[in-house]
Amino acid sequence: MSFDRRWADEPGLGDWWGRAMWGLGTAATRSTVPWIRREAAGAFRSGTRQRSPWPRAMAYAGLGAAEVLRSDPHDTDASALLADAAAAVGVPGPDPGWVWPTAELTYANPTMAEVVIAAGDLLGDEPLLRSGLRMLAWLCREQDNAGHLSTVPVGGWRSGVPKHRFDQQPIEAAATADACAAALAVTGDDRWEEPLFRAIAWFLGDNDVQTVMYDPLTGGCYDGLTADGPNLNQGAESTLALVSTLQHARTLATRSATRPSGGLA
């Protein structure tokens, strides 16, 4: 925006649009403040008239639509956006050695699996749900390194090319936690607790360098994991990734504490 408050470029539908839609859908259904819910719902409704050509932007927007659908299963605008988001991501290919819909893993990969899971669940599409769960299970196996999480780093991974491990980003561990928590909620299958716990533990030091990924003095999360240790910058995105993942840790701890113990009847 210029000094005279005129936009100097054209509107875009990149990741920023998708993330805004995700935030608006969440605020519209979860905020405790009535006027925030009202304003967010109006802005979300306006955004549903758009579609991005970028699958990851659509995946983010689809998660916002999923939030709205959990509150109102009859919302046709949110249903259409979620269905289109899942279609933009795609479904697993026929090669059992490379299950992902595309030939490359880049960024926000767990988010793409999560939106397919959400679409399958909320739209009543069982084959789509199975596809999303299969994508996420395969991704979790690919990101496993000797029993701990090793996220897809900057630069990505490609089929048939040896994996490189660095630089890993906190947002990838957080997205893994989000997706595994979603799979656990949808299926009730306790097997999703292990990869969820590994995503939490990544921040606490169970990672490729065995180093804690946050500063206990500031509460900030380091911006990346390099071969030499953490990138000591503490950006907002990384810190929010830490906070959101620790929220999953609290939920997981509560779930474990309330689970009935075994024993003879």
Side-chain angles (χ1 to χ4, degrees):
M1 179 177 287
S2 64
F3 181 77
D4 61 355
R5 301 189 65 78
R6 295 176 183 271
W7 292 110
D9 59 359
E10 294 298 320
L13 294 168
D15 284 0
W16 53 89
W17 170 79
R19 286 175 180 251
M21 291 293 288
W22 186 7
L24 289 167
T26 302
T29 57
R30 298 200 186 203
S31 176
T32 59
V33 182
W35 73 262
I36 291 179
R37 290 198 305 272
R38 183 177 61 253
E39 293 295 325
F44 175 83
R45 192 73 51 205
S46 177
T48 60
R49 296 196 294 266
Q50 305 294 331
R51 295 292 186 271
S52 174
W54 309 110
R56 282 167 176 77
M58 286 295 292
Y60 289 130
L63 292 181
E67 291 284 353
V68 172
L69 280 177
R70 291 186 185 104
S71 177
D72 179 8
H74 303 293
D75 190 306
T76 56
D77 290 337
S79 294
L81 178 56
L82 181 55
D84 288 346
V89 170
V91 295
D95 181 1
W98 187 265
V99 168
W100 209 247
T102 60
E104 182 179 11
L105 291 166
T106 55
Y107 69 96
N109 305 292
T111 302
M112 300 180 78
E114 183 183 356
V115 80
V116 176
I117 292 169
D121 176 43
L122 295 168
L123 302 179
D125 188 331
E126 187 66 27
L128 190 62
L129 173 59
R130 289 197 299 269
S131 291
L133 293 170
R134 183 181 171 213
M135 288 168 59
L136 182 58
W138 178 83
L139 179 63
C140 288
R141 290 193 297 271
E142 289 294 306
Q143 292 190 138
D144 175 82
N145 186 23
H148 63 259
L149 177 66
S150 180
T151 69
V152 178
V154 173
W157 291 337
R158 295 161 188 81
S159 177
V161 177
K163 293 176 182 174
H164 64 100
R165 297 290 177 184
F166 304 101
D167 299 312
Q168 297 176 33
Q169 304 293 298
I171 194 169
E172 299 301 324
T176 301
D178 283 348
C180 291
L184 176 61
V186 166
T187 66
D189 189 339
D190 293 344
R191 288 179 294 180
W192 290 105
E193 289 187 356
E194 182 177 354
L196 171 56
F197 180 78
R198 288 181 181 180
I200 296 165
W202 184 92
F203 289 92
L204 306 180
D206 194 11
N207 50 51
D208 283 331
V209 186
Q210 296 296 296
T211 185
V212 174
M213 285 299 295
Y214 67 90
D215 183 342
L217 297 179
T218 65
C221 181
Y222 300 128
D223 274 354
L225 181 65
T226 76
D228 299 318
N231 174 340
L232 296 180
N233 292 329
Q234 299 171 31
E237 182 179 72
S238 298
T239 299
L240 288 171
L242 169 67
V243 170
S244 69
T245 305
L246 293 181
Q247 288 175 331
H248 288 306
R250 181 173 59 187
T251 301
L252 187 60
T254 301
R255 174 184 168 88
S256 298
T258 57
R259 179 180 297 142
S261 58
L264 295 176

